[in-house]
Amino acid sequence: MNSRKTRFRDAFLNGDTLIGSFLKIANTQPAEILGAAGYDFVVVDEEHAPFSRESTDRIILACKAWDIAALVRVQGPAPEMILSVLDCGADGVLVPHVDSADKARAVVSAARYAGGARGYSPTTRAGRFGGARMQAHTEAQDARVTVIAMIEDVAALDHLDEIMAVDGLDGIFIGRGDLTVAMGQSSGTAAPVAEAVGMITDAARRAGKAICVMSSSASDMRSLAAQGATAFITSSDQTLLKSAAAQGLEEARAALAST
């Protein structure tokens, strides 16, 4: 995806194949490196990593500089959490633990102006610091902001069609880690988890919702792609650093041991 020509939301809704990574390190450089490498998007993980409002703001700015879409996994569905990152200019939000249609509607309302209740201020990065006129700003934001519900609770499985039917919800992220723990399983490939994933992807396809997943192996990605997933989070900045560090250390020790 070339974000200079195609907004993330347009590509996501179009079913383009998108590759991204979670960000866990509260610094701009991981986002810049991934942008330079050609990744399509990053997800700033405010739910599980130590980001502040200010560090998230800086990373969103860095993403704009390096032409990579910036999504934020917010800590929860509270409107102020969603508003904060959208005003900073995030391309969208992943909202955890959406287990009912009512919660999905509340999330959409917090993220949208038309038909919603997003708080308005033009003096933000999203509003070009006062440079965007009201109607132009609200229409552009509603067209650009991507709203993704995380389906990761057993309770959500009984309400999938109702959740997927919520107008303004662009897609879903399947949280296999939480589902695995909630089901008392030890692997995301366990049969009950795989069955739940199949239920979620079936419901998303019926409703025409885009599907985002976390996947790090080629066989798993192919399997999920066959079920309709098009946006893939393949790793995190921490994992990439850890993997490269371990490999570099192993290679250095092997080289020195042979001298």
Side-chain angles (χ1 to χ4, degrees):
M1 180 189 77
N2 184 334
S3 60
R4 290 189 181 93
K5 297 179 181 178
T6 307
R7 291 179 303 199
F8 177 86
R9 184 173 185 240
D10 294 336
F12 186 59
L13 294 177
N14 191 51
D16 295 353
T17 299
L18 302 167
I19 307 298
S21 173
F22 275 118
L23 295 183
K24 309 278 189 175
I25 300 171
N27 194 286
T28 65
Q29 290 185 350
E32 295 179 78
I33 291 167
L34 292 168
Y39 279 68
D40 296 305
F41 69 99
V42 294
V43 180
V44 179
D45 190 3
E46 289 189 341
E47 184 187 20
H48 291 296
F51 290 96
S52 67
R53 253 184 112 172
E54 187 176 359
S55 59
T56 296
D57 180 70
R58 290 196 301 266
I59 290 167
I60 291 171
L61 177 59
C63 288
K64 291 182 180 301
W66 285 89
D67 200 23
I68 181 171
L71 308 180
V72 181
R73 175 157 69 176
V74 293
Q75 294 181 53
E80 61 269 21
M81 294 178 181
I82 295 171
L83 176 63
S84 172
V85 301
L86 296 184
D87 277 352
C88 290
D91 293 285
V93 290
L94 275 71
V95 182
H97 301 292
V98 178
D99 57 7
S100 69
D102 284 343
K103 190 174 289 186
R105 280 190 286 268
V107 166
V108 171
S109 178
R112 305 284 188 213
Y113 287 115
R118 175 178 169 180
Y120 172 74
S121 173
T123 58
T124 61
R125 181 179 296 121
R128 296 175 55 210
F129 302 104
R133 293 184 178 275
M134 180 181 286
Q135 184 175 352
H137 168 67
T138 57
E139 290 179 353
Q141 286 292 291
D142 282 347
R144 189 181 69 81
V145 167
T146 312
V147 182
I148 302 173
M150 297 184 65
I151 308 298
E152 52 188 349
D153 300 278
V154 174
L157 300 179
D158 292 328
H159 306 287
L160 291 175
D161 287 332
E162 296 97 320
I163 293 170
M164 303 296 177
V166 171
D167 189 37
L169 182 68
D170 296 313
I172 55 99
F173 174 91
I174 304 173
R176 287 189 291 175
D178 280 77
L179 274 174
T180 300
V181 172
M183 291 181 164
Q185 302 297 316
S186 58
S187 169
T189 60
V193 182
E195 182 179 357
V197 169
M199 291 171 60
I200 297 166
T201 55
D202 285 349
R205 289 200 309 274
R206 284 195 299 271
K209 301 296 186 185
I211 302 170
C212 181
V213 293
M214 174 86 182
S215 181
S216 58
S217 75
S219 60
D220 186 54
M221 280 189 269
R222 284 192 290 266
S223 174
L224 290 164
Q227 295 180 69
T230 57
F232 296 86
I233 300 172
T234 60
S235 191
S236 73
D237 51 0
Q238 286 179 336
T239 301
L240 291 167
L241 175 60
K242 182 180 178 181
S243 176
Q247 181 180 347
L249 179 60
E250 181 181 357
E251 291 173 353
R253 284 177 171 165
L256 294 172
S258 65
T259 59

